[in-house]
Amino acid sequence: MTAGNDATRALHADHARTFHANRFVYPVLSRRSGGISVGVNLNPDKICNFDCIYCQVDRRRQSETTFVETDALMAELESTLRLVASGELYNFPEFAAVPPALRRLNDIAFSGDGEPTTYRNFDELIAACAAVKVRLGLDEVKMVLITNASMLHREHVRRGLAILDAHQGEIWAKLEAGTDAYYHKIERTPIPFRQILDNITDAARVRPLVIQSLFMRVDGEPPSAAELAAFCDRLNEITADGGQLKLVQVYTVARRPAESFVAPLTDAEVDAIVTLVKERTGLPAAAFYGVAT
Ligand code: SF4
């Protein structure tokens, strides 16, 4: 993806998690999807098992909705999909400036304000959303799980992944460190780095995964050359162990991060990481930039 103009970048940065009266489902113009993504928020309580220093979920304000109401979520999903598929969405002022090339319904994305796979009834919810997609005849629309990979080994999550596989599913798994120390510095979680690497490898043995990697400036410093080399080594280990990786998305901070010592990389720095990943792993890699400064 090439850098958009400032207006397009501003739209991309506007990922409010509410759409009019909706509480769980929100359409966004997605940089990484290249179209409209209908987000499903399975963590309205804003609780996550990671505490990433760059997290762009606004936790300064408490949400009024703290648990998923399945019936309301399904109704919101259906009405929002109809709105996007019909093109009525672009009559709303906040979507009127979406460029014609991006006026397409790309996916239903499970992400939101925390880690979606921590949702207790994950598999049942995925099945119900897939049924809505089938009923509306949206066969070509993808179902994207945006995950930190921490729970992919759990049985109910595995069942959910199998349902995704049967419905144009795609898993975007977070991996943005090469060393244990950097992983813990960035993600601030007690979950071992080894668990994340094993989960990604196991899931990628079953179907090809997309890796999502956010790199940033921490206290003014971009990731070191040694860290980036170690990151490429981890990718190589996953593929050597039989994992299939179809794309490495390299991106940077585009919205207000959790910590003030975090800042975006420049477009050139993101491009350099993409080049490095391609050279050291042979995997396809794509750049997604931060907001224009
Ligand atoms: S895994 Fe995602 S939601 Fe959780 S803290 Fe990190 S960036 Fe935020």
Side-chain angles (χ1 to χ4, degrees):
M1 177 174 163
T2 55
N5 61 29
D6 288 358
T8 306
R9 286 188 186 210
L11 263 171
H12 286 313
D14 184 16
H15 278 215
R17 298 258 185 246
T18 55
F19 183 66
H20 296 245
N22 283 12
R23 289 178 298 152
F24 307 104
V25 177
Y26 51 94
V28 292
L29 176 61
S30 165
R31 296 183 297 157
R32 289 181 287 162
S33 291
I36 300 295
S37 176
V38 171
V40 178
N41 184 5
L42 298 185
N43 307 90
D45 56 5
K46 302 188 180 184
I47 292 173
C48 188
N49 57 359
F50 276 25
D51 181 22
C52 304
I53 60 173
Y54 63 80
C55 184
Q56 292 157 72
V57 173
D58 183 357
R59 295 197 170 85
R60 291 165 300 170
R61 277 177 306 203
Q62 269 213 321
S63 171
E64 287 172 14
T65 303
T66 53
F67 61 93
V68 171
E69 294 165 36
T70 313
D71 290 348
L73 186 152
M74 300 315 301
E76 289 179 16
L77 178 64
E78 177 157 351
S79 64
T80 306
L81 289 173
R82 288 185 188 280
L83 206 59
V84 185
S86 67
E88 282 175 68
L89 180 76
Y90 310 109
N91 296 332
F92 287 83
E94 62 267 51
F95 287 93
V98 173
L102 299 179
R103 290 189 173 202
R104 46 180 288 280
L105 172 53
N106 187 73
D107 60 80
I108 301 166
F110 299 89
S111 56
D113 293 336
E115 170 51 38
T117 59
T118 58
Y119 178 58
R120 183 158 58 89
N121 300 321
F122 178 75
D123 51 343
E124 290 168 24
L125 199 280
I126 295 290
C129 291
V132 169
K133 186 170 96 83
V134 169
R135 186 151 46 77
L136 296 184
L138 299 172
D139 294 340
E140 74 291 354
V141 172
K142 289 195 234 176
M143 295 179 82
V144 177
L145 172 64
I146 300 177
T147 177
N148 63 22
S150 59
M151 309 286 281
L152 298 185
H153 58 300
R154 298 280 174 90
E155 205 40 55
H156 74 291
V157 178
R158 285 179 191 241
R159 285 196 299 270
L161 301 189
I163 298 164
L164 289 175
D165 290 342
H167 294 89
Q168 295 78 39
E170 210 166 69
I171 301 170
W172 294 7
K174 180 196 293 292
L175 180 67
E176 46 213 6
T179 63
D180 203 58
Y182 191 72
Y183 163 81
H184 283 290
K185 177 177 174 177
I186 299 300
E187 324 286 20
R188 298 192 299 197
T189 175
I191 297 167
F193 190 31
R194 188 70 259 161
Q195 178 80 67
I196 303 299
L197 294 167
D198 288 349
N199 284 1
I200 290 175
T201 305
D202 287 347
R205 284 195 184 115
V206 180
R207 84 284 288 163
L209 297 199
V210 173
I211 296 291
Q212 42 157 354
S213 310
L214 187 147
F215 291 106
M216 76 216 90
R217 213 171 237 93
V218 181
D219 290 325
E221 292 296 319
S224 69
E227 187 61 38
L228 292 172
F231 168 70
C232 292
D233 290 345
R234 301 294 85 75
L235 293 173
N236 284 331
E237 286 163 8
I238 291 166
T239 52
D241 284 348
Q244 312 157 70
L245 302 179
K246 62 178 174 185
L247 179 65
V248 181
Q249 298 176 339
V250 179
Y251 65 116
T252 190
V253 180
R255 283 166 277 149
R256 181 194 169 96
E259 302 293 354
S260 58
F261 54 82
V262 170
L265 297 180
T266 65
D267 293 1
E269 287 169 329
V270 173
D271 285 339
I273 297 173
V274 166
T275 302
L276 181 81
V277 169
K278 286 180 179 170
E279 284 176 0
R280 290 188 70 120
T281 69
L283 293 168
F288 299 90
Y289 306 111
V291 283
T293 52

